[in-house]
Amino acid sequence: MRIDNDSKLDFDDVLIRPKRSEAPSRSAVDLDRHFTFLNSRATWSGIPIIASNMDTVGTIAMADALGPQIMTSLHKYYSEPELVDFFGQADRRTFTFLTLGIKDDDLDRLRQVTQKTTIQYVCVDAANGYTKSFVDWVKRIRDAFESVTIMAGNVATPEMVQELLISGAADIVKIGIGPGSVCMTRVMTGVGYPQLSAIIECADAAHGLKGHVCADGGCRTPGDVVKAFAAGADFVMLGGLLAGHDECEGQWVEEDGQRTGMQFYGMSSKTAMERYAGGARDYRACEGKEIVVPYKGSVKETIREITGGIRSACAYVGASQLRDLSRCTTFVLCNRTHNTVFEA
Ligand code: 5GP
C-alpha cells in the first residue's frame, strides 16, 4: 500500500480568478472549437459539449435538439433499424455518437448499421476502462473501422489515457471515475479520483500526444462546466444537467396533470439493471442510484444558460475564444485547508 500525498481537487475546491484584461464582450466570445482527431484524422467543429449516453438523456430527440453544434452520444439501447433510420437522415451522423458496450453483440450491431449507413463517431463505454481487455476491444474497433472517430473510457489517470490513445488507437478519452451525479462508485467501492485534478492531469497527457479528452461527470452547474474546460477538457459530457427536459426519455413525475420532475438513474443502478440486464447480479454492487430531478422544459433554454456561463467566464479572464480559456485561467484554491493559487 502507498499513499499519494499530493492534494487532488474537485470542482468545488476551486474558483477562477477574474483578471484585468481587454475583456471581449460576452457576445463576441467564440465557443466553437475545431479539432483534428489523432487516429481517425477526421475534423470536427462545434461547441464541445456532449449529451451523455445515459438512456434518459442520450436520446434521438436530444440529438435533434442539440445538433448540429452540440453533440449527443446516443444510448446503446436503440435497435439496429432505429439507428439505421436515424443515421440515414441527412447530417445527423455529423453530431451524434453511436454507443457500444463491451459485448460482441455491440460490435455486430455496429457492423450491421455501417453496412446500411455511415457512422462517423462511436463511443465505447465501460464503467472501468482500466482492463487490458478494454484496450484490446477499442483496438479491435479501430482495426475494423479505420476512419471512425472513437471516444473511449472511462479512466481518470494519465497512464491509461496514453494507453487508450496509443495501444487502443482511440481519438478521445473519456475522463471520470466516480464523479457522476447518480454515481455510487465512491460510496460502494471507495474507488475514484477528484474530477478537476483528473481532467488537468489527463488533458496534459492527451495533449502531449495530440489526443483529446472528454470530461465526463460531476458538472452540477454551468460554473462546473466552465471549470472543466478551464482545467483543459476538450469536450465536456453532461448527464444530470441535461436530465428532466422535454427531450429526455423516462418516467415523469406529475402533479395535477403537470410534469414536475423526472426519474433519473445511473446506468449501473438497480433500476437500469432491472430494465436492461434482467436484474442486479449477485456478484456486483449497484454503483448507481435513482433520484428525481425537477422538470426543466426545453433543453435549449438550459444550453443557453450553460453557454452564457462559459461566455461570461471567458470575458472575466480575457479569453476571446473558448480555446484560450484554459491558458487564461488561474484557479484559486478555496477549500478550508488551502489558500493559495496555481496556474492551470
Ligand atoms: P453527471 O453529468 O450526471 O454528473 O454524470 C454523468 C456520467 O455519470 C455519465 O456520462 C456516466 O459516465 C456516469 N454514470 C452514469 N450512470 C452511472 C452509474 O450508474 N454509476 C457510475 N459510477 N457512473 C455512472
Side-chain angles (χ1 to χ4, degrees):
M1 191 277 291
R2 61 182 282 269
I3 296 180
D4 183 347
N5 276 316
D6 285 353
S7 303
K8 303 292 175 188
L9 305 168
D10 260 317
F11 294 127
D12 283 348
D13 296 325
V14 298
L15 288 168
I16 296 168
R17 190 169 74 181
K19 276 187 186 150
R20 185 179 182 284
S21 66
E22 296 294 310
S25 80
R26 282 170 216 186
S27 58
V29 172
D30 180 7
L31 297 189
D32 278 359
R33 298 286 323 257
H34 310 279
F35 296 133
T36 300
F37 296 114
L38 174 65
N39 289 299
S40 69
R41 307 306 304 159
T43 57
W44 175 87
S45 297
I47 300 176
I49 291 173
I50 307 176
S52 167
N53 49 282
M54 298 171 80
D55 66 343
T56 44
V57 172
T59 65
I60 284 175
M62 187 66 79
D64 283 337
L66 298 184
Q69 264 199 308
I70 291 180
M71 299 184 94
T72 295
S73 194
L74 289 184
H75 67 70
K76 64 180 182 189
Y77 303 104
Y78 283 115
S79 67
E80 185 214 316
E82 282 172 315
L83 292 170
V84 170
D85 181 54
F86 175 83
F87 285 102
Q89 288 177 44
D91 299 337
R92 281 160 133 190
R93 72 180 73 94
T94 63
F95 53 83
T96 315
F97 286 84
L98 184 153
T99 301
L100 283 88
I102 46 175
K103 297 204 183 106
D104 285 335
D105 285 359
D106 293 310
L107 190 52
D108 290 345
R109 195 176 50 135
L110 176 61
R111 284 210 168 93
Q112 281 158 8
V113 174
T114 51
Q115 275 167 13
K116 298 186 184 139
T117 186
T118 307
I119 299 293
Q120 291 183 322
Y121 300 95
V122 301
C123 167
V124 192
D125 195 40
N128 173 5
Y130 277 80
T131 59
K132 178 170 186 306
S133 62
F134 182 68
V135 179
D136 292 345
W137 177 246
V138 175
K139 184 64 169 62
R140 210 170 130 196
I141 296 164
R142 164 62 66 219
D143 290 343
F145 301 95
E146 250 177 47
S147 59
V148 161
T149 297
I150 299 176
M151 176 163 70
N154 280 22
V155 299
T157 47
E159 82 286 356
M160 214 52 210
V161 170
Q162 291 165 337
E163 178 78 0
L164 282 164
L165 291 172
I166 296 169
S167 307
D171 297 289
I172 308 162
V173 180
K174 210 143 62 79
I175 309 302
I177 300 283
S181 57
V182 282
C183 169
M184 292 285 280
T185 297
R186 291 175 182 178
V187 176
M188 297 307 293
T189 71
V191 174
Y193 207 97
Q195 183 69 345
L196 188 90
S197 288
I199 298 168
I200 292 170
E201 293 166 21
C202 292
D204 184 53
H207 296 164
L209 297 170
K210 298 205 173 343
H212 294 91
V213 292
C214 173
D216 176 21
C219 292
R220 288 152 304 155
T221 59
D224 291 341
V225 180
V226 172
K227 290 174 190 176
F229 283 125
D234 302 296
F235 292 91
V236 177
M237 178 172 267
L238 302 176
L241 260 184
L242 301 185
H245 292 98
D246 293 329
E247 294 78 3
C248 295
E249 280 167 19
Q251 204 65 40
W252 294 98
V253 180
E254 296 190 352
E255 271 170 39
D256 301 329
Q258 302 282 336
R259 285 179 176 177
T260 56
M262 190 191 100
Q263 285 178 8
F264 178 55
Y265 47 84
M267 298 313 295
S268 306
S269 64
K270 193 160 165 251
T271 314
M273 286 195 214
E274 279 170 1
R275 180 161 299 177
Y276 299 112
R281 306 279 160 79
D282 287 347
Y283 61 88
R284 222 190 128 170
C286 289
E287 290 179 29
K289 64 180 173 183
E290 180 177 321
I291 59 173
V292 173
V293 294
Y295 171 61
K296 303 172 196 160
S298 163
V299 76
K300 290 192 173 152
E301 195 43 51
T302 298
I303 288 293
R304 248 193 296 278
E305 284 178 11
I306 295 170
T307 52
I310 304 169
R311 279 180 210 288
S312 207
C314 286
Y316 271 117
V317 299
S320 59
Q321 43 182 351
L322 175 56
R323 185 185 170 182
D324 297 333
L325 176 62
S326 182
R327 194 176 49 76
C328 294
T329 291
T330 299
F331 283 121
V332 184
L333 294 184
C334 53
N335 59 8
R336 266 168 257 138
T337 50
H338 297 91
N339 191 19
T340 47
V341 294
F342 71 95
E343 300 286 338

